[in-house]
Amino acid sequence: MAGLARRIAWNLRHRWRRVFALCVLGAGVAAPLLTNLWWTLPLAWFFGLFIALPVLHTLTKPVPEENVDEPKRATGDPALDALRERYANGEIDEREFERKLDRLLETEDVETVSDPGDDDVADRVRDGIRREVERIRE
């Protein structure tokens, strides 16, 4: 029974728009039966689906967590991003960039390489980083 209650709670939390729309449809069908006025059906449906639902959706929409001022990391690796940024700012020259990049690639986990016999993985990563750095410099 706890599984059913948990599933209902999850559906209400994540699929509340569908539940709300079904309730509006039910209220629209029940309205003329309770009031004996035929025009309450389209009125309930209109206000429920075209006014209340969009307003509630807008009010309950989650706020994005990312900070607009903070730039997104291109690779997700802070050491590689810092190296790229130093090279783009001109703090280190190309030779030192290559040397530090080789050192970073040597210390990279073996799990990140899909095929251990593939020798050009480092070259592909290096070329991709070089293209990104050139794009940043422009």
Side-chain angles (χ1 to χ4, degrees):
M1 190 65 156
L4 178 63
R6 202 167 50 201
R7 197 172 354 169
I8 291 172
W10 186 89
N11 281 326
L12 286 175
R13 192 170 46 251
H14 295 286
R15 296 181 176 157
W16 67 268
R17 292 164 203 81
R18 294 176 188 174
V19 174
F20 182 80
L22 285 174
C23 291
V24 167
L25 289 177
V29 170
L33 299 174
L34 296 174
T35 62
N36 288 330
L37 300 171
W38 67 269
W39 51 269
T40 56
L41 180 132
L43 187 69
W45 285 356
F46 175 78
F47 281 112
L49 297 177
F50 295 110
I51 295 176
L53 184 61
V55 167
L56 288 174
H57 173 72
T58 304
L59 291 176
T60 60
K61 192 173 177 181
V63 178
E65 294 180 10
E66 67 182 54
N67 190 355
V68 179
D69 297 335
E70 179 181 320
K72 279 189 156 182
R73 297 287 183 192
T75 62
D77 183 14
L80 187 56
D81 290 334
L83 180 63
R84 288 173 59 196
E85 188 173 327
R86 287 182 62 199
Y87 179 68
N89 291 338
E91 295 174 18
I92 59 174
D93 61 348
E94 187 173 351
R95 191 170 48 191
E96 188 174 353
F97 175 76
E98 292 285 334
R99 185 175 54 80
K100 290 182 184 254
L101 180 62
D102 287 336
R103 189 179 313 150
L104 276 175
L105 292 175
E106 286 173 3
T107 60
E108 189 176 47
D109 291 337
V110 177
E111 299 149 0
T112 60
V113 179
S114 60
D115 184 12
D118 194 9
D119 293 328
D120 65 338
V121 172
D123 293 333
R124 283 189 283 145
V125 170
R126 192 177 299 115
D127 290 339
I129 292 172
R130 197 175 289 132
R131 279 190 300 252
E132 282 294 316
V133 168
E134 288 172 4
R135 184 186 61 82
I136 290 171
R137 282 197 136 169
E138 293 175 353

